[in-house]
């Protein structure tokens, strides 16, 4: 029943790193672009990063450019989000997402969601 499963969240100090993983079914993984969104308490869910089906194109929200890297491993049906130089404002639940369109920068454009993994960054 669960088609996207996130893992890798946790508590880190500011400036530290985490790598999030999203395991997807083959059906979803190979037919969709994959993305990460995040949502802090009391705030709207916001786009973080997206990667194309081939892995050849990526796009990031300005606030994470140069710090976060999205990638995908086709052999494992898994998408990753490597997060470096973490800041307290990165604290949020992080959600894996899949959609047919690459320009998946709003929640309304998402076709499939994971249940989320919590990232907490202390100062």
């Amino acid at each position: 029943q669960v088609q996207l499963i996130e893992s890798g969240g946790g508590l880190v100090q500011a400036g530290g790193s985490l790598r999030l993983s999203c395991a997807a079914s083959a059906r979803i993984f190979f037919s969709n672009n994959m993305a990460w969104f995040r949502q802090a308490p009391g705030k709207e869910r916001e786009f973080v990063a997206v990667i194309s089906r081939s892995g050849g194109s990526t796009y990031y929200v300005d606030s994470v450019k140069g710090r976060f890297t999205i990638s995908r491993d086709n052999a494992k049906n898994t998408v990753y989000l490597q997060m470096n130089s973490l800041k307290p404002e990165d604290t949020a639940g992080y959600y894996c997402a899949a959609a047919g369109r690459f320009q998946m920068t709003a929640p309304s454009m998402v076709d499939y969601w994971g249940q989320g993994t919590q990232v907490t960054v202390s100062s």
Side-chain angles (χ1 to χ4, degrees):
Q1 185 174 16
V2 178
Q3 296 175 298
L4 302 175
I5 303 176
E6 303 98 328
S7 62
L11 173 64
V12 297
Q13 300 250 289
S17 299
L18 281 175
R19 187 181 72 162
L20 306 183
S21 298
C22 173
S25 68
R27 177 182 62 81
I28 291 177
F29 189 81
F30 290 108
S31 62
N32 288 282
N33 304 281
M34 302 295 295
W36 289 94
F37 286 72
R38 64 187 181 186
Q39 187 168 25
K43 296 186 180 295
E44 297 180 1
R45 189 166 297 188
E46 66 172 349
F47 167 80
V48 177
V50 62
I51 187 166
S52 63
R53 295 180 184 88
S54 68
S57 297
T58 59
Y59 178 75
Y60 302 87
V61 68
D62 286 346
S63 60
V64 309
K65 287 180 179 177
R67 300 190 297 121
F68 291 11
T69 303
I70 188 170
S71 62
R72 61 194 296 160
D73 185 338
N74 290 348
K76 298 179 179 179
N77 299 346
T78 300
V79 62
Y80 303 96
L81 185 67
Q82 178 66 46
M83 305 184 294
N84 299 325
S85 302
L86 283 162
K87 305 174 181 179
E89 51 262 46
D90 294 318
T91 295
Y94 282 71
Y95 297 84
C96 187
R101 64 166 64 191
F102 176 73
Q103 198 169 68
M104 188 196 344
T105 56
S108 62
M109 301 176 184
V110 173
D111 296 321
Y112 303 94
W113 290 104
Q115 292 300 302
T117 185
Q118 179 66 35
V119 172
T120 302
V121 184
S122 62
S123 60

